[in-house]
Structures are given as C-alpha cells and as structure tokens.
Amino acid sequence: KANYFSKFSKAPVICKLVGRKVLDGVGQPTLEVEIYCTVKNYEKRICSTVMSSHSQIPENALPEKTEADEKERSDSVNTAVEWVNESLNMMLRDLKPTDQCTVDKMLGEYFTKKVEEKKGIQKQEEEEAEATLALTSCNPSATALPGKKKAANPGKKVAVAERTIPPAEPVESVLCGSLAIGGASLAIAKAGATISRIPLYLHIALLKCNQDSPKEITLPLPMVTLLNCEKISPSKLKLVKEVMLIPPVQLSLKQGIERVLDIQKEMMRLLEPPGKALLLLFHFQPQALKRISHLGCLITGCDNLEQPLLLMQTACNNVGLELGTDMHLAINCAAHELMDYVKGKYEILTGTFKRPDEMVDMYVELINKFPFIIALIDPLRKEDRQQWNHICCALGSKCYLIAEDAATYISKLKIDQNINIPTCSGVVLKYINQTRVSDLIELTGLLDGQRHITILGSPDGESSDDSLVDLAVGLGARFIKLGGLSRGERVTKYNRLLAIEEEL
C-alpha cells in the first residue's frame, strides 16, 4: 500500500546545496558540493562530489611561482564555497535534479555574469593606474632610465626567437571561484542519477542520447601510467613525462589490469638497486628512485629517449609478453614544458635542442624503430600548427597524435568548434573549473562527428571522487587516462571501472 501511494507523491526537488573546502589527493584545497533534496516532504542528503584541482605549474617552477599558485588556489576554493552556499543554493532551489539542461544553463549564465563583473573591476583598476601614472610621470625618478634599459634586453632576445617560432598563446585566465560551476553541475548529475535509481554512467549516456536508450555502452581503454620520468639533474632526458601501457582491445579490463600489474612488479624488480641486470643489458643504470609520483606510478630518470622504452620492453619480455601484440605503449611528451623561447627550440635532453621541424623527424624515426608506440600525447606545443600538420601526415596512420595541453580550452572549443587546430587524432578532456556536464556532452558529440577520439583525463591534483569514470563510460570515450595503479585517489577509479565492467 505504501508503495502504491508513493507513486502519487511529488517528484524530488533540490532544497539545499552545501559547499565546503576539503583536500585532494596531493593535499591541496579543493571543493566538495553536497546536494540535499525534498523527498516525500523530508529533507534528504542525496550525494556529494569533490572536484579535482588542475595545476598548470611545471615541475621545474620557481618556489615563488608555486607559492603564488597555492595562494591563488586557496582563494579560488574559498570563493567557490561562498558561491555554492549563497548564490547557487538560492538559485537552484526547487529545481528537479533530473533537469540537467536547465541547471547547466543557469550555471552558465551565472558564470558569464561573474566574468563581466571581473572585467568591470579590472577596467576600473586600469583606469586608476593610468591616472596615477599620469600624475607621477611629471616627476620622472632617477632610476627610471636604467630600469627601462634592463627590460629591453630580454625583449630583444625573445624577438629573435619569435621570428622562427610562434610565441606562446596566453594562458586562459581561470576565474576565482569557477570550481563552483563544475562542482555544482556534476553534483546535480549525480543527484539526478540517484533519484532516477540508475548508475551515473547510464544517466550521462541518456542525457547524451536525448533520453533515448543508448545502443551500446562500451568501456574506454585505460592508459595506465607506469613510469614518470623526472626531468631534474642528474637525469638528462627531458622529453618524456609519462610512459603508459594500453592493454589490447580483445582483453577484458580485468585481464588488462592484471597484465599491467605483472609488468609493474617486474619493473620494480628491474629498478631495484644496484640493477645489475640493466647494467649488463644496456650499459646504463637509470636513476631508480623508490618513490611514487603524484600520478601514482614509479619515478625514474633516464639519459636518452631509448632507455625507458628498452626498459619497458625488457620488463614485458621477462613476464612473457610482447610489446605491440600483448600490450601497447603511449608516451606523454609534454613538449610545451620543454620550449626554450630564447633559442626558439625544444630542449629534449639537457643541453640538446631541436627546432620544431627537427622534432617531427625525430618522432618519425622513433615510431619506425619502436612500432609498439600507438599514441603520442602533446608531441609539440599547440602553437606549432604547421608542424602538427606535418606530424599528422607523417605518422597519422601509424599512431594516435593526442592533444592534452596542446588542445584548445574547453570553453574555446565550444565557441570555435575548431578542433582541427592543431590537427590531431584526438583530445584529452578534463573536468575542471567551470566545465559543466552539458559542455562535455556537447563537445564529445562534436568530436564524434569530426571522427576524433575522446579521452577523459585525470588532472594532476586528483580527488578520490570516481565520477570521472562514469563520465567517460557514459560519454563513450575511447580511452581514459587515470595515472598509475598506486595511490588511493587513482586506484579508486580503476576499481570503479572494474565494477562497471561487471555490471555491463
């Protein structure tokens, strides 16, 4: 009887959003959003989501730059908590959590308003600064001239480099508090799935198919990071950031993960000091460090580009697996971190520099020598568009050429819809800042239409929230890039992937 009457009750509506400051997997502050709904006249906590924080500070950044970034992040989280508890809490009250489109539209409008406010404040500050400058310029200080001269020298150097390479595009500014938009959108999606009593991945798939049942739900292939190559001295190799394993498509996810774990175990044995086996094999001893990277994998240092690849080959052979058949490799080159703007060249090894066109020749040689590499991520900066075209012509049929940092920002991709710049096989999408669930649905539809592959990627500052996996499955991503098989915030996502495989 109780069940009979319950179907006449009002559909659950949002009654409260709660934002709070929590810590992510690397101890950095981030945002948690909790959703409460009115269900059969009672206030009930439905779900919560924790956002991942995305740092674009390179490994070799100066301490003051890192310090400034940490302060900025803390301010941004505090602002996001304020937005969720005040404005968004009022704005989204009484809406149905299943109405994702309406919620995301309102969140987008709110964000646009905040951006306009920020621009207004900046304009006012600039005008005030100009007025102050006009007053002080009547009394030029004695130190003004030497200061100007000093600033001119580095400018000249850069100008020489800029004639040969396109300058770096300005980093898209992240609005303080933008985490609140992404956090609220994802939390609503989670609440919608909970209220509908379906898994989040199915809820996302239904949203993408406009509520038609999806034809087939497939799992993305995992890109599992096994090595994080450190770029600091005494290691010489700078070009490789991550070496990743991709299991063959015919294996189940469970079998693929088991294979990766076998290779990882063997890799740890090979890197055990004194590593005599490696000394005999390759006449080199990698700087084996018994440390786990924040990416959840082993950290090592190498002296040339072939060493990590030979190391992987040896580990696979030792456990009876053949690269190219039983397992594939992907390399995250993170080329944008290597550009020396004074020389206008990439520093691939300590003291070894290559022009963008020489980089293309080097990659062609590498893939010809190691055909088991099936993906290169960020082999060039996004600004080197001509070279992206060249590398795609030369290697497009042999391996995937993926843009991660080289991809245009999600907000710009949506406006321009010009994913072909730079030309690439696919894009790594990350759920960060003001990204909304609707944005990802729209973009993956766009990528599918242009026959690009979608990869859902884990940011550096990952949280233990496993929603990213459901997003990847629901959106039909080809790959998922989660880091290594260590650290709780990484492993929890692999466990979620395994659980979804069982369900399907």
Side-chain angles (χ1 to χ4, degrees), residues 236 238-239 303 338 340 343 345-355 358-359 362:
K236 288 181 185 162
K238 290 178 180 286
L239 181 67
D303 290 335
L338 311 176
D340 183 316
K343 288 187 170 68
K345 292 180 180 181
Y346 292 95
E347 188 176 12
I348 58 161
L349 303 172
T350 305
T352 304
F353 296 88
K354 284 194 184 286
R355 293 192 313 271
E358 291 174 327
M359 293 286 279
M362 182 196 67

Side-chain angles (χ1 to χ4, degrees), residues 382-454:
K382 69 165 163 268
E383 295 82 4
D384 293 322
R385 296 199 169 96
Q386 201 181 345
Q387 274 68 39
W388 270 96
N389 287 331
H390 292 165
I391 198 171
C392 281
C393 291
L395 293 175
S397 60
K398 294 182 179 179
C399 73
Y400 293 116
L401 298 155
I402 311 292
E404 184 170 353
D405 271 322
T408 317
Y409 303 108
I410 284 180
S411 55
K412 283 188 185 163
L413 278 176
K414 276 190 66 212
I415 299 159
D416 303 343
Q417 301 202 349
N418 204 352
I419 296 164
N420 287 317
I421 297 176
T423 307
C424 58
S425 322
V427 180
V428 179
L429 300 176
K430 292 180 180 174
Y431 196 89
I432 49 167
N433 304 326
Q434 70 271 20
T435 308
R436 298 164 300 167
V437 170
S438 301
D439 296 334
L440 280 188
I441 290 170
E442 192 181 325
L443 258 180
T444 49
L446 202 64
L447 286 162
D448 296 343
Q450 295 190 5
R451 300 187 71 179
H452 283 78
I453 59 167
T454 300

